[in-house]
Amino acid sequence: QFIYGKDDKGGGRTLMVTSSVSGEGKTFCSINMATAYALSGKKTILLGLDLRKPKIFGDFEITNDKGIVNYLIGDETLDAVIHKTHIENMSIVPSGPIPPNPSELLMSTKLADLIVQLRQEYDLIILDTPPLGLVADAFQLSAFADATIFMIRLDYTKKGMLQLVNA
């Protein structure tokens, strides 16, 4: 609430979670943020946008056979890739099979249209992204973010990587 303030753009808000490298806690934080918002009564959806190293499906005991990749390439409808969770008000969209062209899929107009559609249906959309320090995907996804959390892990994140945040 403090991050977003009173600026009401209409529709749901987006929160992007990223970090410099793998293993800093992006997915862990994304899942917990989504859960906290859902338990507070906000209709929440968690998008698994780390198309290179998908993880969120394992914590919810669902398969990664179908996900956002299938939707973006036109193989599945949105309803077919959204999974309700055991947590009231919370849905997830796993990444799906690892594509040969993850960056191209994330730059597609279909993803932009999806975010617009989800803003109408959900109060909060959490974007679990790949590390910003390794690939440019998270930078491209930042265009959809109303707020960004950059994860830093004690005794794990290199101080030099923080210069990337400032840049």
Side-chain angles (χ1 to χ4, degrees):
Q1 292 170 331
F2 290 112
I3 293 172
Y4 295 120
K6 294 274 187 198
D7 183 26
D8 187 14
K9 298 178 181 178
R13 304 286 181 104
T14 58
L15 174 65
M16 183 175 94
V17 182
T18 192
S19 70
S20 57
V21 294
S22 186
E24 290 172 305
K26 289 177 298 299
T27 300
F28 177 79
C29 183
S30 296
I31 290 170
N32 283 295
M33 291 292 290
T35 301
Y37 272 101
L39 291 173
S40 74
K42 301 282 187 195
K43 190 171 179 189
T44 306
I45 189 162
L46 172 59
L47 301 181
L49 296 176
D50 189 347
L51 305 185
R52 290 176 172 85
K53 289 180 77 176
K55 292 182 184 170
I56 62 170
F57 63 95
D59 292 325
F60 292 95
E61 298 177 4
I62 60 171
T63 64
N64 198 37
D65 297 341
K66 294 179 185 176
I68 198 147
V69 168
N70 303 90
Y71 173 77
L72 293 175
I73 63 174
D75 275 355
E76 295 290 343
T77 64
L78 181 59
D79 289 337
V81 298
I82 292 178
H83 297 269
K84 299 283 185 200
T85 67
H86 63 282
I87 300 163
E88 190 177 351
N89 298 316
M90 185 172 158
S91 300
I92 66 166
V93 178
S95 63
I98 298 171
N101 57 342
S103 293
E104 290 175 30
L105 287 176
L106 295 175
M107 287 190 309
S108 73
T109 56
K110 195 156 185 181
L111 181 61
D113 294 342
L114 172 65
I115 298 295
V116 169
Q117 180 181 348
L118 293 176
R119 283 182 188 270
Q120 302 309 312
E121 299 174 27
Y122 291 89
D123 298 316
L124 188 74
I125 304 145
I126 297 187
L127 313 174
D128 182 36
T129 71
L132 185 59
L134 301 179
V135 291
D137 298 352
F139 185 71
Q140 295 165 353
L141 292 168
S142 68
F144 304 121
D146 295 322
T148 301
I149 293 179
F150 193 92
M151 296 298 300
I152 297 171
R153 184 172 167 190
L154 181 66
D155 294 329
Y156 190 89
T157 304
K158 303 283 187 240
K159 287 183 183 177
M161 294 305 283
L162 298 179
Q163 293 171 351
L164 177 67
V165 177
N166 290 330

